[in-house]
Amino acid sequence: MESYIEIKKLCFKRGHRSIFNDLSLTIPRGKVTAIMGPSGIGKTTLLRLIGGQLKPDSGEIYLDGKNVCQFNRREWFAARKKMGMLFQSGALFSDLTVYENIAFPLRAHTKLPEDMIRDIVLMKLHAVGLRGARELMPSELSGGMTRRAALARTIALDPELIMYDEPFAGQDPIAMGVLVQLIRLLNDALGLTSALVSHDIAEALSICDHAIIIADGRVIGEGKSSDLKKGGSPLVKQFLNGLPDGPVPFHYPAGDYRTDLLG
Amino acid sequence: MFELIRKTGQIGLDFSATIGRSGVFFMHAFFGLALTLKGLRLLVHQIYKIGVLSLVIIVVSGLFIGMVLALQGYNILIDYGSEQAIGQMVALTLVRELGPVVTALLFAGRAGSALTAEIGLMKATEQLSSMEMMGVDPLKRVIAPRLWAGFISMPLLAVIFSAVGVFGGMLVGVDWLGVFEGSFWANMQSSVEFSDDVLNGVIKSVVFGLVCSWIAVFQGYDLVPTSEGISIATTKTVVYSSLAVLGLDFILTAVMFSSV
């Protein structure tokens, strides 16, 4: 399995809190990889580290064979043409129409004439099913439509890597179904590498080829979704099955119950 | 005891770090304006939003301040029989001091807080992050046009303020209080020097424009991306800009006008 992203012994601290401690993982090329874990474990931070918005304290991150920790500002901006990130809120530019939003990266990075840009924008919007909504402003879109428009913007430059930050959060079943299908179809049709961060286990495992579970700042489970469901440590089992008690305890540490109540 | 010392030290360190971040931010944004057609179009759009849309408050304030100056000045000067000097009083006060300073304070309150809130909201909704991830530098695309627009608009607004104020002073002094129009304008013409008064006032407003715009965009860019963070940042913009303007006004006045 050829890897697109390789992370080796990553350490990252936020203030005094250690988020990642010697984290190592690989994201295979051309596949949908789900990165899952309990809340607050640093999954969004991991995406920001891969995308270069944050710098790790130590360790190496390889993107398509290149060590990104040594990139300067200019090299980063060139590398970012080949990657896209879908933020949780969509993050469409609120003062531009949907059309203008999708055209933004095309106008910023290419010198294509306006009629070609129009063709590309319409094709991308058609791929996500929003060709008719192109003149709407982001404030006029529903949550699901906002995310689809943001997805169209992410694929505007035909990137090699797309990172999804909690794409299924707060979506109704239809919108969720649409997104799930789009992520899978786009990955296969465009030959992308997709990294999906989510705590929606069912949806994430249903479309991913490879799953990585992160807890306590390191990888606790990795592999095909079917393998993870069968085997795995108690923590992996608790996470995947949504068990309330296990290695992540239900009770916050407290003294003896009887003494507390009666004594 | 040690906690107090530690906290004081921490505040000092945080303050230095913020000043440093602000300086680096300013250098990237100031020199980041794209001198292309697209960049200039963004700049013009921002000059409209920041400068042109502030005209109403500037003109109305200028008019009223000029009128009040003439009124108050007349009340004092009439005791010495010097009411003919009202033109010179109004003009010098406006051009040297009130024009640049009041315009800067109004600018900080209206345009500065709007800039901070806009940029802060873009940060909170991750629009700046997504722009960065698309390989477009938000400092060049979003911040630089706004910084330069404030920098260009402020002196122009200050000049308009002074001009409208003088007109307001004339309305009250000449038309209402009956000061002889000839002496109103003649005294003004003889006592207001271009290089000493008008130009110094313009230099002040350029400095104030730079400081107010810098504080406004930096507070927006640097805030904690929550609704409380935006509210704190807009308050900081207005307070810091106002204090900075008044402090710098004192320094600049001492430098420019002490020998006069």
Side-chain angles (χ1 to χ4, degrees):
Chain A
M1 206 167 45
E2 201 202 329
S3 68
Y4 188 79
I5 299 177
E6 261 191 76
I7 297 179
K8 292 186 177 156
K9 292 201 163 76
L10 182 73
C11 291
F12 184 72
K13 272 202 189 71
R14 197 164 251 151
H16 298 293
R17 209 179 123 220
S18 168
I19 311 266
F20 297 123
N21 207 348
D22 252 9
L23 180 80
S24 296
L25 56 86
T26 52
I27 293 178
R29 185 185 292 272
K31 307 255 183 266
V32 177
T33 304
I35 301 173
M36 300 181 287
S39 265
I41 213 72
K43 305 186 291 292
T44 306
T45 311
L46 183 63
L47 291 184
R48 287 186 196 264
L49 282 163
I50 295 173
Q53 289 185 305
L54 296 171
K55 265 187 132 70
D57 295 329
S58 71
E60 290 162 342
I61 302 177
Y62 289 90
L63 218 62
D64 203 12
K66 299 190 204 97
N67 188 348
V68 301
C69 301
Q70 292 161 353
F71 275 9
N72 60 27
R73 210 176 163 88
R74 217 170 296 138
E75 281 169 305
W76 262 120
F77 281 117
R80 281 180 184 142
K81 288 184 216 173
K82 290 200 256 162
M83 65 168 87
M85 178 139 157
L86 184 64
F87 289 86
Q88 200 169 334
S89 56
L92 291 175
F93 302 130
S94 42
D95 51 339
L96 302 176
T97 60
V98 168
Y99 179 94
E100 297 287 323
N101 262 284
I102 318 289
F104 184 88
L106 292 166
R107 288 189 184 132
H109 287 301
T110 67
K111 291 190 170 61
L112 293 171
E114 273 308 306
D115 48 349
M116 272 192 97
I117 290 182
R118 184 176 180 276
D119 291 340
I120 298 176
V121 170
L122 290 180
M123 283 197 287
K124 302 301 178 190
L125 281 173
H126 187 78
V128 302
L130 287 179
R131 192 164 45 90
R134 61 185 179 264
E135 293 305 322
L136 295 179
M137 297 298 286
S139 51
E140 295 169 310
L141 300 173
S142 72
M145 286 167 76
T146 306
R147 254 173 237 191
R148 284 196 277 160
L151 183 53
R153 188 179 64 179
T154 313
I155 56 169
L157 286 173
D158 291 322
E160 292 172 359
L161 165 73
I162 298 190
M163 297 183 278
Y164 299 88
D165 188 3
E166 305 276 359
F168 310 126
Q171 297 292 293
D172 66 80
I174 298 176
M176 183 123 63
V178 167
L179 269 169
V180 164
Q181 203 193 32
L182 273 175
I183 294 175
R184 188 74 245 181
L185 279 177
L186 284 173
N187 190 81
D188 296 336
L190 301 175
L192 304 170
T193 302
S194 304
L196 182 67
V197 155
S198 179
H199 17 257
D200 196 321
I201 314 252
E203 300 296 343
L205 287 180
S206 69
I207 49 160
C208 73
D209 302 307
H210 184 77
I212 300 173
I213 305 180
I214 299 179
D216 298 328
R218 43 183 194 84
V219 174
I220 58 160
E222 190 173 354
K224 283 220 196 64
S225 47
S226 45
D227 298 336
L228 278 176
K229 277 190 191 143
K230 278 188 244 148
S233 67
L235 182 54
V236 171
K237 273 214 175 68
Q238 185 188 7
F239 183 71
L240 288 180
N241 296 308
L243 303 169
D245 207 4
V248 177
F250 176 72
H251 288 290
Y252 193 77
D256 179 49
Y257 190 32
R258 189 193 208 100
T259 330
D260 232 354
L261 219 49
L262 304 170
Chain B
M1 176 65 191
F2 282 122
E3 188 58 29
L4 190 65
I5 297 174
R6 192 198 68 80
K7 273 211 175 98
T8 315
Q10 189 66 50
I11 292 172
L13 285 173
D14 288 341
F15 181 72
S16 313
T18 306
I19 299 283
R21 261 200 322 276
S22 165
V24 171
F25 166 86
F26 179 75
M27 291 309 283
H28 277 128
F30 191 78
F31 295 110
L33 186 71
L35 292 170
T36 59
L37 196 63
K38 211 161 50 174
L40 290 173
R41 206 175 285 159
L42 288 171
L43 178 64
V44 167
H45 181 65
Q46 289 306 318
I47 291 178
Y48 173 76
K49 280 173 73 176
I50 294 173
V52 173
L53 293 182
S54 302
L55 271 177
V56 175
I57 191 174
I58 295 293
V59 165
V60 171
S61 308
L63 189 68
F64 281 115
I65 285 180
M67 285 165 39
V68 165
L69 270 176
L71 212 48
Q72 290 285 23
Y74 185 86
N75 283 336
I76 296 170
L77 290 171
I78 195 80
D79 289 341
Y80 302 94
S82 313
E83 73 278 6
Q84 312 295 331
I86 194 97
Q88 143 191 11
M89 190 215 93
V90 168
L92 281 176
T93 316
L94 282 169
V95 156
R96 281 184 187 179
E97 289 300 326
L98 290 186
V101 174
V102 175
T103 306
L105 294 177
L106 291 170
F107 181 85
R110 188 233 161 246
S113 58
L115 274 177
T116 304
E118 187 187 9
I119 296 171
L121 206 60
M122 287 178 88
K123 183 175 180 184
T125 50
E126 295 181 303
Q127 289 179 44
L128 296 182
S129 289
S130 68
M131 206 181 279
E132 220 178 338
M133 285 304 297
M134 276 188 258
V136 174
D137 189 352
L139 287 179
K140 292 199 169 102
R141 176 74 188 217
V142 170
I143 309 288
R146 286 165 173 79
L147 186 66
W148 277 93
F151 188 36
I152 292 170
S153 306
M154 249 294 295
L156 300 173
L157 289 171
V159 162
I160 291 173
F161 184 95
S162 302
V164 173
V166 165
F167 176 73
M170 186 217 74
L171 280 179
V172 167
V174 173
D175 292 339
W176 180 14
L177 297 169
V179 172
F180 178 49
E181 190 164 9
S183 30
F184 182 89
W185 294 113
N187 279 333
M188 192 193 297
Q189 208 171 2
S190 61
S191 57
V192 176
E193 303 260 337
F194 183 74
S195 56
D196 283 338
D197 301 314
V198 178
L199 218 51
N200 278 336
V202 170
I203 292 172
K204 273 191 192 178
S205 57
V206 166
V207 172
F208 297 158
L210 192 67
V211 167
C212 289
S213 306
W214 179 7
I215 291 174
V217 297
F218 179 68
Q219 290 298 333
Y221 191 76
D222 202 47
L223 52 68
V224 175
T226 59
S227 39
E228 198 194 354
I230 293 177
S231 132
I232 291 173
T234 42
T235 310
K236 272 192 195 171
T237 293
V238 178
V239 170
Y240 291 176
S241 300
S242 308
L243 293 176
V245 160
L246 293 169
L248 282 169
D249 181 51
F250 174 73
I251 295 170
L252 289 169
T253 306
V255 167
M256 288 174 190
F257 295 107
S258 57
S259 51
V260 171

